[in-house]
Amino acid sequence: QVRLVESGGGLVQPGDSLRLSCAASGSTISSAAMGWFRQAPGKERELVAAISWAGSRTSYADSVKGRFIISRDNALSTVYLQMISLKPEDTAIYYCAAKWGLQFYRGNKFDYWGQGTQVTVSS
C-alpha cells in the first residue's frame, strides 16, 4: 500500500517562503509522475505543479510560475515544493499525488493522494 505524507505547511506572512515535502512509503516513486495540488475553501482543487519521473520536465500553474519550484529526490522517495514570495491567495490545503505508468502527467486522475498540509499566508 502506497502512502504519501505531506509536511512543511504552516502560517506565514506575505512575502515569506515555505518548502513542502511529500514522503512516499510502500513503493518507490522513481517510476511515478508526481504532482502538487491545492484546494482553497470554496474553490476547486487545482494542479499547482507537476514533475516527470527523473525530474527533467516540470509544469506550473500560471498563478505560481516564477515563485514555486517542484523537485524530487527519488533515492529518498520525496517530492518537494519550494514556495517563495507567498501571497494570501496561496492559502490552501496542499496535496501531493502520484501517478504510476506515465512519465509525466498533468491530469487529475492520480493514483494516490496524501492527506494534505495547510498553508496559510496572512499578515
Side-chain angles (χ1 to χ4, degrees), residues 82-113:
Q82 178 69 51
M83 308 183 292
I84 66 170
S85 302
L86 283 162
K87 305 175 181 180
E89 51 264 44
D90 295 319
T91 295
I93 299 175
Y94 284 72
Y95 302 88
C96 72
K99 179 75 170 177
W100 269 266
L102 292 176
Q103 186 176 22
F104 185 73
Y105 184 64
R106 288 182 292 183
N108 60 9
K109 296 188 185 302
F110 279 76
D111 300 318
Y112 294 95
W113 296 81

Side-chain angles (χ1 to χ4, degrees), residues 7-90:
S7 61
L11 172 62
V12 297
Q13 294 185 341
D16 283 352
S17 300
L18 275 177
R19 188 177 81 156
L20 305 183
S21 298
C22 171
S25 61
S27 181
T28 176
I29 62 168
S30 59
S31 58
M34 301 294 295
W36 280 99
F37 287 77
R38 69 184 180 187
Q39 187 165 23
K43 294 188 177 181
E44 293 188 356
R45 186 174 58 193
E46 64 169 337
L47 178 63
V48 173
I51 189 167
S52 61
W53 287 349
S56 57
R57 182 180 178 185
T58 58
S59 178
Y60 299 92
D62 288 342
S63 57
V64 306
K65 280 181 182 177
R67 300 188 299 120
F68 289 14
I69 297 175
I70 187 171
S71 61
R72 64 192 296 162
D73 186 332
N74 288 339
L76 296 178
S77 287
T78 301
V79 180
Y80 305 97
L81 186 68
Q82 178 69 51
M83 308 183 292
I84 66 170
S85 302
L86 283 162
K87 305 175 181 180
E89 51 264 44
D90 295 319

